[in-house]
Amino acid sequence: MWKIVVGFIVIAAVTLWLLSKGGDIDMSGEKHGIDTSHAPAAASAPASAPSSAASQ
């Protein structure tokens, strides 16, 4: 039984060490809304330009 506890502690320590070496890791779950950083901001600008040119 004690071997299972020691094994769990070793695995947890290695996992925390690897996560700390990984850099900027967000463990907060899914993001919905404005604060998402993976969506390109430049993609919305070209989409609005053809609609204003078509209305003229």
Side-chain angles (χ1 to χ4, degrees):
M1 180 71 174
W2 67 271
K3 294 177 185 177
I4 295 173
V5 173
V6 170
F8 176 77
I9 291 171
V10 169
I11 295 295
V14 169
T15 303
L16 288 175
W17 180 76
L18 285 173
L19 287 174
S20 70
K21 290 293 181 182
D24 187 23
I25 297 174
D26 186 13
M27 298 291 288
S28 64
E30 292 186 25
K31 300 262 185 193
H32 300 283
I34 298 173
D35 60 343
T36 57
S37 62
H38 64 275
S44 62
S48 62
S51 63
S52 64
S55 65
Q56 292 177 353

